[in-house]
Amino acid sequence: MCLGIPGEILEIDGLTARAEFWNVEKEVRLDIVGDEIEVGDYVLNHAGFAIRKIPDDDVEETIELYESLLAGDEDEALEEIGATDATLEFGDRPTAVDSPEGTKTTTIDGIAQRPEAGSRTVREEPTEKPERDADE
Amino acid sequence: MSEETLQFRNPEQAEQLADRLEALMVEVDGPVNLMHVCGSHEQAIAKFGLRSMLPDGLSLRMGPGCPVCVTNMPEVDEAVAVANQGAIVATYGDMFRVPGTKQSLADARADGADVEIVYSASEAVELAEENPDEEVVFFATGFETTAAPTAAILVDDPPENFWVLSAHKYVPPAMEVVAEMPDTDIDGFLAAGHAATITGYGLFEPFVEEYEIPVVVGGFEPIDVMLGIERLLEYISEDVAGLENAYPRCVTREGNRAALETMWSVFEKTSGEWRGIAEIPGANLALREEYADYDARERFDVEPETGGPDPLTEQCVCGDIMAGKADPDECDLFGEECTPGNPVGACMVSSEGTCKIWHEYGGHPDL
Ligand code: SF4
Ligand code: SF4
């Protein structure tokens, strides 16, 4: 129930969209994705709902990661998108238009390097503090 | 270890990381217990044999990271009771075979109850629309990533014959409880990337401050996991309780505000028992008063007489496993009386349950 799966938005009708996950098409809801979504965007789908728009620059990498992680576990990926009667075909995925070859980055560029500037929050308060949810 | 087993796309990086872990462990000079709180992490770790790459003295434990596993037996009993009262119960596939005290939902269906597996909350609503003369109850489980979708369908005006039986759980308070367990003794947490996609990693700031334990939000690819471990060890060696996002392509500091707002407009935190772990204040998500009309607990008799549980389940150590105190092979039933085909405890059911994963991949493979 837990693995979010990246898919490409093919068609949008209000809060419902059709997305393609490898060669499988499924409906996803856009209610809580929190971003403007357009046809051609990639979203992380979790239990039928898009929970995040994958930034254009990260699309290729994200897809590759999932292919490597899911290889051999296709059934589980299918279960995740509710298409157990289909087959996933890794590797023959259309390349994302917005992420040209060359923007691809690896997770780490060297061990000594911190993962991403700004992603550390060790007692260094960010300039602007996001509002917290009332319940937090 | 063969490259094939690891399936890293960049084996050099992996080896560099492994060397770095060795070096850090020398600096730390003592045993280190790390805990991840995510079934998807356990899957990556087991599938790619990562534990066999870890230096001596570095132990990687699975925490209460699978929503199926932490769903308490009485919650399953509630769903079974509703099904046995004639309602259609819709639930995620993972929950189907989780044992309740007397029956799982699968058993109830075998006995004639109507239990349907859905892959999304909206499918449960569709089921209600397609069956206007029936009562449809969505047995809703999972953490933030499924609670937000459940909330979304409730704010979207579902049909009147639709109810939610919420067994949704909220992870951060459970981490606090585990952090306080004296015999668990966790030095660092690898937090779950997907839940943090919704909540944002900023959520862990108070936790890091209060418990002075480093937290790193990590992704799910083997190298992501290794990187998360490396970051944690770095903090531990420096004796700093830091918070870091090692999964920036999915997780931001604030998370998904739209999803959070929807979630908190529908749910409120209540105290609840997590299977085998403890009664945890604020770690269950109950429907707010405004949504009482959709609350299955208001509509159905959810407190069935169940009698005592199956004596076998008393030997199940799921609770200790999720509290990071035991490994599956320490359970006497593991692989014998308890198998994925015939699970005794919840950890053997879900694809994210530690016992199931260990059964599949061998847990501590000696490669
Ligand atoms: S991805 Fe989310 S729901 Fe799945 S195991 Fe990890 S924390 Fe739990
Ligand atoms: S092997 Fe089975 S009985 Fe033992 S802890 Fe795991 S799920 Fe429970």
Side-chain angles (χ1 to χ4, degrees):
Chain A
M1 110 177 13
C2 301
L3 203 59
I5 307 273
E8 182 185 6
I9 300 290
L10 302 177
E11 210 179 274
I12 300 177
D13 177 12
L15 286 176
T16 312
R18 276 198 91 65
E20 190 197 323
F21 302 90
W22 288 272
N23 60 340
V24 181
E25 284 185 27
K26 263 324 256 191
E27 195 171 272
V28 295
R29 298 266 304 242
L30 303 176
D31 310 42
I32 52 169
V33 67
D35 266 312
E36 283 295 324
I37 300 295
E38 291 168 18
V39 169
D41 284 343
Y42 278 72
V43 294
L44 200 61
N45 162 69
H46 196 282
F49 282 72
I51 57 168
R52 175 163 158 86
K53 174 178 186 275
I54 301 169
D56 292 339
D57 289 351
D58 292 337
V59 168
E60 292 233 355
E61 190 200 347
T62 305
I63 286 168
E64 269 181 41
L65 293 182
Y66 277 82
E67 291 194 350
S68 104
L69 189 60
L70 292 173
D73 268 337
E74 285 88 349
D75 287 353
E76 197 181 320
L78 286 168
E79 214 164 277
E80 197 61 47
I81 55 172
T84 35
D85 45 356
T87 28
L88 287 189
E89 279 169 33
F90 289 156
D92 72 341
R93 201 171 167 71
T95 316
V97 252
D98 305 290
S99 61
E101 232 37 90
T103 56
K104 191 174 158 292
T105 47
T106 38
T107 313
I108 46 169
D109 293 319
I111 307 311
Q113 191 184 316
R114 303 281 181 188
E116 183 132 303
S119 69
R120 271 162 69 102
T121 62
V122 201
R123 282 166 202 158
E124 55 189 27
E125 273 305 300
T127 32
E128 94 187 82
K129 223 179 147 79
E131 313 148 46
R132 302 303 292 255
D133 186 273
D135 276 80
E136 288 318 311
Chain B
M1 133 157 338
S2 75
E3 272 171 32
E4 225 166 71
T5 319
L6 275 170
Q7 293 188 23
F8 285 122
R9 277 181 325 288
N10 190 335
E12 281 130 70
Q13 279 187 345
E15 258 157 51
Q16 267 178 295
L17 268 171
D19 290 348
R20 181 79 188 124
L21 293 184
E22 291 278 358
L24 282 167
M25 280 306 282
V26 173
E27 263 173 57
V28 174
D29 190 26
V32 172
N33 287 321
L34 303 182
M35 176 176 275
H36 68 82
V37 265
C38 179
S40 300
H41 278 148
E42 184 61 28
Q43 260 173 337
I45 291 159
K47 179 170 171 184
F48 298 101
L50 297 187
R51 280 198 182 83
S52 62
M53 279 194 92
L54 300 181
D56 288 344
L58 177 58
S59 133
L60 190 55
R61 323 216 53 111
M62 159 109 183
C66 174
V68 178
C69 304
V70 300
T71 303
N72 205 19
M73 229 185 236
E75 291 174 305
V76 176
D77 293 341
E78 288 181 327
V80 168
V82 168
N84 288 336
Q85 283 164 53
I88 301 176
V89 170
T91 195
Y92 293 118
D94 277 350
M95 285 313 296
F96 190 54
R97 283 165 52 243
V98 175
T101 311
K102 280 276 167 287
Q103 283 190 309
S104 64
L105 283 167
D107 299 333
R109 178 152 90 180
D111 284 356
D114 197 347
V115 180
E116 302 287 335
I117 290 172
V118 290
Y119 100 99
S120 72
S122 32
E123 269 187 16
V125 171
E126 279 162 30
L127 205 58
E129 284 163 352
E130 286 157 14
N131 298 279
D133 302 328
E134 308 275 346
E135 297 177 306
V136 173
V137 174
F138 179 44
F139 182 35
T141 56
F143 299 140
E144 296 84 337
T145 42
T146 49
T150 303
I153 56 163
L154 283 177
V155 298
D156 194 28
D157 208 13
E160 274 175 18
N161 60 329
F162 177 80
W163 286 269
V164 167
L165 179 62
S166 171
H168 282 303
K169 302 266 187 289
Y170 187 58
V171 185
M175 282 170 61
E176 290 174 22
V177 165
V178 173
E180 279 176 20
M181 285 179 173
D183 40 355
T184 298
D185 198 18
I186 296 302
D187 302 302
F189 280 96
L190 186 63
H194 291 134
T197 303
I198 304 261
T199 56
Y201 68 90
L203 174 81
F204 295 111
E205 272 164 24
F207 175 86
V208 169
E209 293 264 316
E210 181 168 350
Y211 294 92
E212 294 179 356
I213 295 179
V215 174
V216 172
V217 175
F220 300 97
E221 216 252 350
I223 213 152
D224 286 338
V225 175
M226 291 291 279
L227 182 69
I229 294 170
E230 191 266 340
R231 306 304 319 141
L232 283 170
L233 268 189
E234 192 99 37
Y235 282 128
I236 293 164
S237 71
E238 291 165 14
D239 204 12
V240 174
L243 169 64
E244 188 162 311
N245 178 18
Y247 194 37
R249 65 183 177 277
C250 274
V251 177
T252 60
R253 189 170 184 281
E254 308 83 70
N256 178 339
R257 295 206 54 87
L260 279 176
E261 270 160 30
T262 308
M263 183 172 108
W264 292 122
S265 74
V266 170
F267 290 108
E268 61 190 350
K269 295 181 220 165
T270 58
S271 178
E273 186 88 20
W274 285 37
R275 185 186 290 246
I277 299 181
E279 167 95 15
I280 305 179
N284 276 19
L285 296 175
L287 291 182
R288 286 183 185 277
E289 185 81 34
E290 298 91 293
Y291 291 90
D293 285 351
Y294 293 111
D295 194 339
R297 292 192 176 92
E298 302 282 329
R299 165 70 187 82
F300 297 89
D301 175 13
V302 290
E303 280 172 46
E305 268 302 326
T306 47
D310 177 339
L312 257 193
T313 61
E314 316 231 305
Q315 295 175 50
C316 167
V317 298
C318 279
D320 283 350
I321 290 172
M322 287 182 287
K325 294 181 207 165
D327 286 336
D329 49 13
E330 290 168 44
C331 174
D332 292 340
L333 307 179
F334 181 74
E336 306 284 336
E337 287 91 343
C338 182
T339 58
N342 190 18
V344 173
C347 290
M348 193 57 97
V349 178
S350 151
S351 53
E352 299 183 347
T354 315
C355 295
K356 169 88 180 287
I357 296 169
W358 281 48
H359 197 267
E360 203 159 321
Y361 299 107
H364 272 288
D366 242 343
L367 296 166

